[in-house]
Amino acid sequence: MPVAKPESSDSRVIAHVDMDCFYVQVEQRKQPQLRGLPTAVVQYNEWKGGALIAVSYEARKFGVKRSMRGAEAKEVCPQIQLVQVPVARGKADLNGYRSAGSEVVSILSRRGRCERASIDEVYLDLTDAAETMLAENPPQSLEKIDEEALKSHILGLNNEDGSDIKENVRNWINRHSADHRDKLLACGILIVAELRMQVLKETEFTCSAGIAHNKMLAKLASGMNKPSQQTVVPSSSVNGLLNTLPIRKMKQLGGKLGISLQTDMGVNTVGDLLQFPEEKLQERYGVNTGTWLWNIARGISGEAVEGRLLPKSHGSGKTFTGPRALKTVPAVQHWLNQLCEELSERLCSDLDQNKRMAHTLTLHARAYKSSDSDSQKKFPSKSCPLRYGTAKIQEDAFNLFQAGLREYIGFYGVKTQGNHYSGWGITSLSVSASKIVPIPSGTCSIAKYFHGQSTSHFSSMQPLDNVNGEAMLLLPPGSECYSEVNSPKAEVDFPKEESWTEDTVPELDLQEQKVNFLKDEDLSSSLSKTQDGFTQDISPSLLSGTEACLEQSQNKQESDITKDEGQFKSEYNKERKGKRVKDKGTPSILELFKSYNPYPFGSSFSQELKKTAEGTDARLTIGLESKGHSLAEQSEVGKEKPMHCSSSGYGRDEGDGRREAWSYSIDEIDPSVIDELPPEIQDEIKAWVHPHKWRPNNTVRRGCKISHYFSPTKKS
Ligand code: DCP
């Protein structure tokens, strides 16, 4: 259900930028000879020429629509150029479109906070840029207003027949009598026009934009004049815009809520909502939704533009319609493996390029039972903690599928059906990875270090997963671990009506990216909470993830993985019998580090530390919670106890024995890795080794403590 958010400020300048016939433009850039010709992008399926998923504006003039198949398009426009979407692993490969979208985002984000809303849509908060322009360089002071800005459509601007439209726009932009809000919008017009021209120049893509005081209005406006134009919604035009707008066109009203408004309340346009007092709407739809409806009727929306240039989740899916439905478990497993392979690749490149990790794996499916009285029953979505590595993702996704199938058709049905068709079919499958959060900067450095090492070490990393409580999150899912995704908002879901109103039977694999961006909108609050909690204990899972990505880049040493997983599962089973997994002495990362050649980076500090380590039996002791105790304090303690460097937090705990204590020998830390650690950690170590020399910053980023890298040995 939508939730009302108070309008943060009524003087914001928000733009919604939407690429024009995006996939077509990407294909036309690859094949410039297609420019200007009626063109459409079709899915790879050959049946009747494949389904159209993007149609150029030239083709639209002939009546070609996205709902058509290639053959139909040829009928209405014989000269249409049909380009097949690239294919990989038997399904659409959207990577080219994704990265084209990223090119655009990187340009748009130069002028303000930027939220990537789908593969080809972006919200921009240009308030600061507009305020600055108004203060320093207002439109009236400009010698010339850009032609592109003059082509803007300003809703409510009276363009009587015969009047010079551009001149009207120029006058509107330059109005001295305008209130502050309109003046800001005028600046927004200039900024967005400039950005769009920049996008065209750098990427060769055209886009359209809506400019308003909030996201809702900007989004409504961006599609009003396409292609390659911009539309502005001054406050005075909001009522006029909403009065006649069909209720189902509003975001979040394309589904059940919209239907209920139409059938139960007789509301057909957004304007119709104005007749209801807020209390009445709250009575019918609950306090939050009621207020939200009351607000949208008046064009009020407080939703902020989130600073997010990257997707909130990754998904890979495929539909199997009609005779292509999957009817045996091995057939499902085959496709799941393909989907997981793609998902894993994307997770690894996200980790590599953006230093982010996902935490939840979700499986969605659509299914039917041929002899079913209960045909309404849906295949339940299932999720579990995400473990990195293709083989692990494949295994977990398959387990999720089996758990879902058990629930869908009943345990005995699954048991008896084997490889034979037993009355069910899967018409779509998707796997998604969500709860993606950035990893602390330092951990990437460790990941980079591992990249240079031989794969044989990675089987020895497996015990890392058992080091502490985080390991539980990485365990293979037993049936009890599965949790149903109750809220469709929580994870990537199948396309819903409101997002895909123009389509009849959309192909899941072609839509996934758009869905990725669109469906997670309500996850934001929980995500940020997770983010906070997560940064504190990310390291073990990161290492597991790094290992997984290395699996891929280093020819997948599957046998090692399988062996390790066996070991891992047995640990897990022990844990599930009620015992806590015990730390096994020296953390494996230290073992791992010790087995590498020392000094690969030829560092003087490494050598210095090595010397120190050889010459003393100093032990580094780290309080797990050193919050509130500066590193300087830690080094002071180290000074008092030269043979036992410790954080003051630890020192105190040691005294009262209330908290668990953890310790390391300096000689257990291989000096060769020190220089690859993040500067904060280096400082921390230096402070222990030379408490007088090093005066590190007192502020250590959360998740960037040495204890996050060197998992602790429990002090006996
Ligand atoms: N897309 C898809 N399957 C769909 C709808 C869209 O694969 N059922 C892809 C192809 C589109 C891209 O997403 O190019 C963006 O979708 P839009 O709805 O924004 O449509 P276009 O950009 O193609 O056209 P427009 O100019 O109308 O926005």
Side-chain angles (χ1 to χ4, degrees):
M1 281 285 173
V3 173
K5 292 181 185 150
E7 186 118 23
S8 44
S9 153
D10 62 353
S11 301
R12 291 182 297 159
V13 179
I14 309 292
H16 177 258
V17 178
D18 187 14
M19 306 308 292
D20 303 317
C21 56
F22 187 47
Y23 288 12
V24 170
Q25 287 205 74
V26 174
E27 296 303 333
Q28 286 178 332
R29 186 172 70 170
K30 280 199 264 176
Q31 303 181 57
Q33 73 277 12
L34 297 180
R35 278 190 204 284
L37 301 180
T39 308
V41 174
V42 292
Q43 64 181 5
Y44 52 93
N45 171 357
E46 281 302 323
W47 185 64
K48 285 196 181 174
L52 270 53
I53 53 167
V55 180
S56 76
Y57 283 83
E58 293 83 359
R60 292 183 202 194
K61 284 185 196 146
F62 290 88
V64 179
K65 295 202 170 64
R66 190 151 64 189
S67 54
M68 292 178 170
R69 302 200 71 90
E72 285 172 84
K74 282 263 182 207
E75 271 169 34
V76 295
C77 176
Q79 68 274 41
I80 193 164
Q81 308 288 317
L82 298 177
V83 184
Q84 281 222 339
V85 105
V87 179
R89 299 185 185 91
K91 62 184 288 297
D93 176 8
L94 306 183
N95 281 331
Y97 306 127
R98 283 188 196 107
S99 47
S102 304
E103 288 174 48
V104 175
V105 170
S106 73
I107 297 163
L108 295 175
S109 61
R110 290 175 196 160
R111 297 298 295 272
R113 191 162 63 243
C114 182
E115 175 183 326
R116 196 169 179 182
S118 84
I119 198 164
D120 76 332
E121 282 172 276
V122 166
Y123 287 102
L124 292 172
D125 188 333
L126 299 170
T127 313
D128 290 348
E131 290 279 11
T132 309
M133 178 184 270
L134 196 58
E136 294 170 6
N137 220 1
Q140 298 88 340
S141 69
L142 300 176
E143 264 176 32
K144 189 173 175 290
I145 290 185
D146 193 84
E147 274 297 297
E148 194 56 40
L150 293 179
K151 285 195 283 177
S152 302
H153 301 262
I154 301 174
L155 296 187
L157 189 62
N158 199 0
N159 289 323
E160 286 154 8
D161 281 352
S163 67
D164 182 340
I165 297 175
K166 284 189 188 170
E167 205 43 45
N168 291 347
V169 173
R170 189 195 312 277
N171 292 337
W172 193 91
I173 291 174
N174 284 332
R175 269 179 323 153
H176 283 283
S177 59
D179 63 14
H180 184 67
R181 303 183 78 199
D182 277 359
K183 282 184 179 165
L184 281 179
L185 277 190
C187 295
I189 292 175
L190 302 184
I191 296 167
V192 174
E194 199 184 309
L195 279 171
R196 288 180 37 245
M197 289 304 97
Q198 202 56 33
V199 167
L200 181 61
K201 192 171 151 203
E202 293 183 36
T203 66
E204 302 173 28
F205 299 143
T206 66
C207 56
S208 301
I211 305 157
H213 292 299
N214 62 46
K215 282 169 86 172
M216 176 182 85
L217 297 170
K219 162 97 180 166
L220 282 174
S222 65
M224 293 179 83
N225 294 287
K226 279 192 140 230
S228 197
Q229 295 171 75
Q230 55 186 52
T231 306
V232 189
V233 191
S235 319
S236 54
S237 307
V238 172
N239 283 349
L241 168 66
L242 297 178
N243 265 345
T244 51
L245 187 77
I247 194 86
R248 306 281 300 280
K249 289 265 177 205
M250 285 298 279
K251 200 176 148 196
Q252 296 188 296
L253 292 181
K256 284 182 195 162
L257 182 55
I259 294 173
S260 162
L261 283 165
Q262 279 181 311
T263 51
D264 306 338
M265 312 283 280
V267 170
N268 289 311
T269 68
V270 179
D272 290 345
L273 274 174
L274 285 171
Q275 60 185 294
F276 297 101
E278 188 173 358
E279 295 72 33
K280 173 88 183 157
L281 293 169
Q282 287 179 333
E283 226 170 77
R284 181 69 183 77
Y285 295 107
V287 174
N288 268 323
T289 305
T291 301
W292 179 79
L293 288 168
W294 191 88
N295 282 344
I296 61 155
R298 289 151 185 84
I300 300 169
S301 165
E303 212 186 318
V305 174
E306 290 171 29
R308 172 162 51 80
L309 307 185
L310 300 166
K312 276 185 167 182
S313 61
H314 297 294
S316 178
K318 185 168 171 66
T319 49
F320 307 92
T321 45
R324 293 190 295 148
L326 307 177
K327 293 173 187 151
T328 64
V329 170
V332 170
Q333 190 168 21
H334 165 80
W335 280 107
L336 266 185
N337 286 347
Q338 308 298 309
L339 301 177
C340 291
E341 205 174 291
E342 190 201 335
L343 182 66
S344 180
E345 237 170 50
R346 285 171 54 200
L347 286 169
C348 282
S349 67
D350 201 353
L351 175 63
D352 195 38
Q353 290 163 18
N354 310 315
K355 320 296 174 222
R356 304 193 311 159
M357 286 187 75
H359 280 245
T360 301
L361 175 70
T362 302
L363 175 125
H364 297 279
R366 274 186 189 153
Y368 66 82
K369 286 183 251 181
S370 42
S371 55
D372 194 5
S373 49
D374 183 16
S375 60
Q376 293 305 310
K377 190 171 174 184
K378 286 189 175 158
F379 193 99
S381 296
K382 294 280 172 188
S383 36
C384 69
L386 192 147
R387 300 185 299 148
Y388 273 63
T390 306
K392 290 173 188 168
I393 295 175
Q394 287 170 334
E395 182 191 338
D396 292 349
F398 184 57
N399 285 335
L400 291 176
F401 171 77
Q402 287 186 305
L405 189 62
R406 265 198 296 275
E407 211 170 299
Y408 183 65
I409 62 171
F411 182 75
Y412 293 104
V414 178
K415 270 271 179 208
T416 53
Q417 46 114 26
N419 285 358
H420 305 292
Y421 173 58
S422 58
W424 53 266
I426 298 294
T427 54
S428 72
L429 263 183
S430 85
V431 283
S432 66
S434 59
K435 300 215 168 75
I436 305 181
V437 293
I439 56 174
S441 58
T443 29
C444 310
S445 170
I446 285 210
K448 206 171 80 199
Y449 177 77
F450 286 148
H451 269 282
Q453 312 304 324
S454 99
T455 37
S456 62
H457 292 298
F458 289 95
S459 55
S460 71
M461 280 185 68
Q462 188 57 48
L464 266 181
D465 287 350
N466 293 331
V467 166
N468 69 12
E470 177 76 7
M472 287 306 293
L473 293 176
L474 305 166
L475 291 170
S479 53
E480 292 86 341
C481 283
Y482 298 128
S483 64
E484 183 154 356
V485 178
N486 291 321
S487 156
K489 291 168 198 156
E491 309 291 343
V492 176
D493 203 352
F494 288 129
K496 284 189 213 146
E497 237 178 322
E498 51 262 53
S499 311
W500 302 98
T501 42
E502 285 178 41
D503 300 299
T504 45
V505 188
E507 287 284 321
L508 176 64
D509 40 347
L510 296 166
Q511 296 175 2
E512 66 203 32
Q513 183 71 17
K514 189 142 188 159
V515 177
N516 281 346
F517 284 100
L518 291 172
K519 297 299 165 194
D520 275 355
E521 287 185 0
D522 295 325
L523 193 65
S524 50
S525 54
S526 61
L527 183 68
S528 60
K529 271 182 230 141
T530 318
Q531 218 158 338
D532 279 344
F534 178 70
T535 46
Q536 300 231 350
D537 49 21
I538 190 166
S539 302
S541 62
L542 167 76
L543 291 166
S544 174
T546 311
E547 171 197 12
C549 290
L550 281 158
E551 272 170 33
Q552 289 196 336
S553 62
Q554 296 173 354
N555 297 330
K556 299 182 196 133
Q557 307 259 321
E558 298 293 354
S559 56
D560 276 356
I561 295 161
T562 316
K563 197 176 69 201
D564 294 339
E565 281 181 359
Q567 182 189 342
F568 195 18
K569 276 179 190 158
S570 76
E571 290 297 335
Y572 173 53
N573 289 336
K574 269 191 235 155
E575 168 74 14
R576 287 184 53 204
K577 280 182 189 137
K579 288 184 207 147
R580 275 195 73 80
V581 176
K582 288 252 166 40
D583 300 310
K584 293 199 172 62
T586 307
S588 59
I589 188 167
L590 300 185
E591 289 298 320
L592 183 69
F593 288 168
K594 281 165 115 178
S595 62
Y596 296 138
N597 284 338
Y599 320 128
F601 312 106
S603 141
S604 59
F605 177 68
S606 308
Q607 295 184 16
E608 205 173 351
L609 179 63
K610 182 90 189 336
K611 270 190 245 142
T612 313
E614 282 164 1
T616 68
D617 182 29
R619 291 187 73 75
L620 303 179
T621 309
I622 300 157
L624 274 187
E625 291 175 5
S626 56
K627 263 189 263 163
H629 303 287
S630 71
L631 290 168
E633 279 178 294
Q634 294 174 17
S635 60
E636 279 305 303
V637 178
K639 193 167 61 178
E640 283 160 22
K641 298 182 185 177
M643 300 299 285
H644 190 106
C645 306
S646 76
S647 76
S648 57
Y650 168 66
R652 238 193 5 207
D653 295 335
E654 193 182 32
D656 63 27
R658 269 176 303 159
R659 256 190 282 165
E660 286 183 318
W662 308 76
S663 67
Y664 300 105
S665 284
I666 278 185
D667 62 4
E668 279 175 347
I669 299 176
D670 188 328
S672 64
V673 305
I674 305 299
D675 290 336
E676 277 291 280
L677 295 173
E680 297 91 335
I681 306 294
Q682 291 193 28
D683 278 349
E684 207 174 336
I685 296 172
K686 286 169 188 175
W688 292 326
V689 177
H690 294 301
H692 302 291
K693 260 194 192 166
W694 299 100
R695 290 268 167 256
N697 261 338
N698 284 357
T699 47
V700 174
R701 222 171 305 148
R702 291 170 82 195
C704 261
K705 295 281 296 172
I706 181 75
S707 50
H708 290 275
Y709 295 88
F710 299 96
S711 301
T713 310
K714 204 161 191 174
K715 204 181 170 204
S716 56

